[in-house]
Amino acid sequence: MSMSVDERVRSAVAALLHAAGESQSEFAAALGVSQAQVSRRQSGTAAWSLADCDAVAAHYGIDALDLLAGPTRAAESLPAERRRIPARRAGGARPAAVRDGGER
């Protein structure tokens, strides 16, 4: 079962908040809305409008289409300088002890 656009946007916003290490309050202030408005949109009580999606995308430095595509694409599109924790290297390189099943 696929997610609705509303669910994808809510999940993408949650993923971006987490990846950026940003609270709902900080995010709301940056968008010029209240934390309660963000909370209602994230809970599904209210919807993110297309104008909201443009503002969210601009805030995080991503394309609005990446936001609409869902949490994985949105988080992967987040610029490195906006990340709370640096992204893992491509290829999922792991230490030899872990890769070989040994203990570290």
Side-chain angles (χ1 to χ4, degrees):
M1 182 177 201
S2 66
M3 283 196 267
S4 71
V5 173
D6 286 340
E7 291 169 324
R8 276 196 302 253
V9 172
R10 285 194 307 270
S11 294
V13 169
L16 290 166
L17 285 167
H18 177 73
E22 193 170 38
S23 71
Q24 278 191 0
S25 296
E26 293 166 327
F27 177 60
L31 294 183
V33 299
S34 71
Q35 185 276 326
Q37 288 173 303
V38 170
S39 180
R40 283 193 296 274
R41 290 172 182 148
Q42 284 302 96
S43 70
T45 305
W48 290 100
S49 71
L50 289 177
D52 293 333
C53 290
D54 278 339
V56 170
H59 172 68
Y60 285 114
I62 66 172
D63 190 280
L65 293 176
D66 292 329
L67 178 70
L68 295 172
T72 302
R73 179 108 155 253
E76 288 173 349
S77 300
L78 187 65
E81 62 271 8
R82 293 299 315 270
R83 293 181 185 276
R84 160 180 66 150
I85 301 170
R88 291 186 179 180
R89 290 183 293 191
R94 294 173 28 181
V98 174
R99 187 174 48 243
D100 296 336
E103 293 189 26
R104 291 189 68 174

